[in-house]
Amino acid sequence: MLKKLFGYGVLIIASIVSIFPFLWMVVSATNKSVDVTQGRILPGTHLVENFKNLLTTVDIVPALINSAKISISTTILSLLIASLAGYGFEIFKSKSKDVVFNILLLSMMIPFAALMVPLFRMFGTISQTVPFLGIDTLTAVVLPTLTTAFLIFFFRQSTKMFPKDILEAGRIDGLSELGVFFRIYVPTMKTTYAAAAIITFMASWNNYLWPLVVLQSPENQTIPLLISNLGSSYSPDFGVIMMAIVIATLPAALIFFIMQKHFVAGMMGSVK
Amino acid sequence: MLSAKSNANTSVSYSKRKPLNKTTIIGWSFITIASVLICLFYFYPMVQALIMSFQSGTGTNLTFTGLDNYARLLKDPTFITAVKNTVIYLIIQVPVMILLALFLSVILNDKRLKFKGFFRTAIFLPCVTSLVAYSVIFKYLFGVDGIINMMLMKLAFISEPIQWLTDPFWAKITIVIAITWRWTGYNMIFYLSSLQNIDHSIYEAAKIDGASSIQQFFKITIPMLKPIILFTSITSTIGTLQLFDEVMNITKGGPGNSTMTISQYIYNLSFKYTPDFGYAATVSYAIVIMIVIFSIIQFKVAGEKNA
């Protein structure tokens, strides 16, 4: 009994600590700037005003559109590329393929800070010949983050449990290998795709360092860049900043809540 | 006769190679795009960085200077401070977070627990926030007039406000608290997933043998979860060695350089100070080497326990 109470106590405290910053963020979006700095915990009446001020003083709409463009294209392309690779590595066996797989996994050890400068120079060189792919373009944000060894690993692990007979049946029915992939594999792996989509979308939506390096003009800025600039400005309106943070957090949070069941199931598939 | 024989020969070697050929080509084509992109955006830049680490100069005008950058690195006080800070974050934060996540996941794994879904979601919630967004919130929460100080003072834990962001010691603690808040739930989900794969009868048997909860935790749970603990400690280590967003947005590396991380130093060297890409590349190899060393240590520790 005592053990049970202790368990609930720990969980309640952990939940409060986890949720509190969110609650305070939402509450602060309804308060005046002064109230936010004084740590007011009760909801105020400035919700509409903060929202209006946000729209008129900060370019949040273009930043939201940029972030959406980047995250949606990254998610779609990443899932396609990584699942093709995960399928390829698991379904077609050869020794040299495992060597390649292990080499690709090594890329997980490479810190982004080590890639940042060479990538910046690489896109600088591209800029001189193909401007729409180079520095200060949304494509330059997307390209280096498109393929991660983690996502390939994730799909390969989940493919391990895939009933191979179904694929064989599809082949006998005359489907090409791509046909088998798109008609049989993709629909069956919905849960894995959902989990991978959440991970990729959130990572892309929240990416900060590479966009900070590669995007230069204000009209190209993404949501994290905008929030960071607001947070370090000299005469900040804290209510407006909190409103901006709420709006920036909403898309990732909504996607997570809608797909939460798939997420946990998908994660479990990859851990097994 | 002769032609028939040679014919049979060729058909044998042909059929031997044929299935290999077909599946190989299709299999390789499935993994080509991913492999090319990883080579182009991970391995090729790594080689570039290695070459650049032997060069020096401002901006893109680099000239070969041999080992000069590496000599400078060992005498660079800012670099040494950044390494120290990063190692402090690492040895305090990673073990605390992993134990906390394990502890929470064991409590949550109890079959008779009520509101399980609520607790799980609540504790995982921090992972949904962007690093920048939560960093800005934490900056305000931990301000001198911020809500944390106010609550601590109301509860009479402290008599005067703690200088969370302006004192070198407390600034580091703030960063540690922030990362722990953000990532504990994430690690917990991994443990929870693999805890559910452990056969419950093992615990029942241990209970009959008179093992206490604490004994069960150390003798059953931790050994069973060892592979996943290794995985999470390596990913957390790599994550902490790359720490950037939080420090940049909570303390900007200050006061002084007391919270500066290696990643932030690389950023400053490349894009804030007079750009020196060559030296920045040298510093970035320091992170690579540290990741390799820490990963080997973690594999060794996990491996020795196995034997």
Side-chain angles (χ1 to χ4, degrees):
Chain A
M1 193 59 207
L2 202 69
K3 205 178 108 192
K4 219 173 171 184
L5 277 177
F6 175 72
Y8 279 110
V10 170
L11 289 176
I12 289 168
I13 292 171
S15 302
I16 291 173
V17 170
S18 300
I19 296 174
F20 179 74
F22 283 94
L23 279 182
W24 187 68
M25 162 185 98
V26 175
V27 163
S28 295
T30 70
N31 278 320
K32 280 188 288 188
S33 188
V34 188
D35 290 333
V36 178
T37 49
Q38 288 174 354
R40 191 183 148 101
I41 314 177
L42 297 170
T45 51
H46 268 65
L47 180 72
V48 178
E49 204 180 320
N50 284 340
F51 188 70
K52 273 185 194 156
N53 285 341
L54 177 67
L55 289 183
T56 49
T57 56
V58 181
D59 288 327
I60 191 153
V61 176
L64 282 169
I65 293 173
N66 287 336
S67 277
K69 278 184 191 164
I70 290 170
S71 306
I72 292 170
S73 50
T74 303
T75 307
I76 293 172
L77 291 171
S78 294
L79 260 55
L80 179 69
I81 295 167
S83 62
L84 270 172
Y87 178 87
F89 276 120
E90 195 49 37
I91 301 295
F92 308 103
K93 296 224 158 99
S94 81
K95 269 194 181 148
S96 47
K97 217 164 280 177
D98 283 330
V99 175
V100 173
F101 184 71
N102 288 331
I103 293 173
L104 293 191
L105 279 189
L106 275 182
S107 69
M108 281 167 81
M109 307 269 282
I110 302 177
F112 184 76
L115 302 173
M116 174 170 84
V117 172
L119 281 176
F120 181 75
R121 289 186 73 194
M122 206 166 125
F123 280 95
T125 319
I126 296 173
S127 289
Q128 288 158 7
T129 43
V130 205
F132 59 90
L133 280 181
I135 300 288
D136 203 20
T137 63
L138 300 187
T139 339
V141 179
V142 171
L143 280 176
T145 56
L146 217 45
T147 318
T148 59
F150 174 76
L151 213 54
I152 300 171
F153 175 78
F154 186 77
F155 274 104
R156 187 181 183 173
Q157 284 299 106
S158 305
T159 311
K160 283 201 160 84
M161 294 178 301
F162 195 91
K164 312 282 187 300
D165 310 352
I166 305 179
L167 301 177
E168 201 44 54
R171 286 184 196 120
I172 290 166
D173 284 350
L175 283 175
S176 69
E177 207 50 56
L178 269 182
V180 171
F181 179 80
F182 281 111
R183 301 262 190 91
I184 302 173
Y185 178 84
V186 176
T188 319
M189 299 290 282
K190 253 186 213 148
T191 316
T192 310
Y193 276 96
I198 296 173
I199 296 168
T200 313
F201 183 88
M202 292 208 289
S204 179
W205 182 263
N206 295 331
N207 193 6
Y208 175 60
L209 181 50
W210 177 235
L212 176 69
V213 167
V214 84
L215 295 177
Q216 289 159 344
S217 49
E219 62 266 25
N220 277 339
Q221 73 179 341
T222 58
I223 280 290
L225 297 183
L226 180 125
I227 302 277
S228 176
N229 288 337
L230 284 181
S232 57
S233 63
Y234 283 107
S235 55
D237 182 326
F238 294 102
V240 170
I241 294 177
M242 286 304 181
M243 180 60 88
I245 296 178
V246 169
I247 291 175
T249 310
L250 269 179
L254 273 181
I255 286 185
F256 173 73
F257 278 113
I258 293 168
M259 297 171 110
Q260 196 198 9
K261 280 221 169 89
H262 296 294
F263 179 73
V264 175
M267 292 281 270
M268 282 168 73
S270 78
V271 166
K272 276 176 193 164
Chain B
M1 243 347 232
L2 196 80
S3 73
K5 202 183 173 188
S6 75
N7 214 347
N9 255 344
T10 50
S11 92
V12 164
S13 65
Y14 182 65
S15 67
K16 244 186 198 168
R17 238 186 305 151
K18 193 185 161 193
L20 212 134
N21 252 339
K22 199 184 159 198
T23 49
T24 314
I25 290 171
I26 297 172
W28 282 110
S29 65
F30 271 65
I31 62 178
T32 306
I33 311 171
S35 309
V36 168
L37 284 173
I38 286 188
C39 288
L40 197 61
F41 294 118
Y42 287 86
F43 295 123
Y44 174 71
M46 275 307 282
V47 176
Q48 285 291 311
L50 186 65
I51 297 169
M52 279 160 66
S53 74
F54 297 106
Q55 297 173 327
S56 209
T58 53
T60 46
N61 295 323
L62 296 177
T63 48
F64 185 78
T65 50
L67 287 169
D68 284 7
N69 283 334
Y70 288 91
R72 178 180 164 190
L73 189 72
L74 298 175
K75 283 180 285 184
D76 180 351
T78 316
F79 170 72
I80 292 165
T81 310
V83 170
K84 269 189 197 156
N85 293 340
T86 310
V87 171
I88 290 172
Y89 296 140
L90 194 72
I91 55 179
I92 299 175
Q93 198 268 335
V94 174
V96 167
M97 176 180 66
I98 282 173
L99 275 175
L100 199 61
L102 266 171
F103 186 52
L104 289 170
S105 62
V106 168
I107 299 176
L108 267 179
N109 196 41
D110 187 341
K111 280 211 170 76
R112 289 154 301 175
L113 189 83
K114 289 188 182 98
F115 315 114
K116 200 181 292 182
F118 168 78
F119 287 131
R120 194 181 57 202
T121 308
I123 298 170
F124 185 77
L125 200 60
C127 295
V128 178
T129 52
S130 92
L131 299 180
V132 172
Y134 102 86
S135 301
V136 173
I137 293 174
F138 266 64
K139 189 170 87 181
Y140 301 144
L141 285 175
F142 284 84
V144 179
D145 307 322
I147 224 169
I148 300 291
N149 270 340
M150 220 165 62
M151 285 199 292
L152 288 175
M153 276 161 73
K154 262 190 190 150
L155 294 168
F157 284 128
I158 51 171
S159 54
E160 48 186 276
I162 295 174
Q163 305 286 322
W164 290 105
L165 305 178
T166 45
D167 176 86
F169 171 77
W170 289 110
K172 282 195 193 76
I173 300 288
T174 309
I175 302 288
V176 167
I177 294 174
I179 322 169
T180 309
W181 180 82
R182 176 65 166 70
W183 293 104
T184 303
Y186 176 82
N187 288 304
M188 185 191 76
I189 292 288
F190 282 102
Y191 301 145
L192 209 51
S193 304
S194 37
L195 273 177
Q196 279 161 7
N197 294 332
I198 299 179
D199 191 352
H200 211 74
S201 59
I202 301 175
Y203 288 103
E204 297 298 333
K207 237 181 251 172
I208 293 167
D209 290 344
S212 69
S213 304
I214 295 166
Q215 280 173 323
Q216 287 174 35
F217 179 74
F218 284 106
K219 295 272 161 66
I220 303 173
T221 309
I222 289 192
M224 294 290 261
L225 294 189
K226 203 190 286 162
I228 199 80
I229 293 174
L230 179 67
F231 170 76
T232 51
S233 58
I234 288 177
T235 49
S236 306
T237 302
I238 295 176
T240 310
L241 286 174
Q242 299 190 55
L243 196 65
F244 177 81
D245 302 20
E246 287 89 341
V247 178
M248 187 76 171
N249 287 294
I250 298 177
T251 59
K252 284 213 177 300
N257 287 329
S258 65
T259 53
M260 161 99 76
T261 61
I262 310 175
S263 289
Q264 198 192 2
Y265 189 43
I266 297 169
Y267 177 81
N268 288 348
L269 282 172
S270 321
F271 303 106
K272 209 178 140 197
Y273 311 150
T274 313
D276 186 343
F277 288 161
Y279 187 54
T282 313
V283 178
S284 70
Y285 260 88
I287 302 192
V288 177
I289 291 164
M290 285 172 78
I291 286 179
V292 172
I293 291 173
F294 278 108
S295 299
I296 291 172
I297 292 174
Q298 281 164 334
F299 268 111
K300 275 265 155 67
V301 169
E304 269 162 27
K305 276 185 196 159
N306 261 336

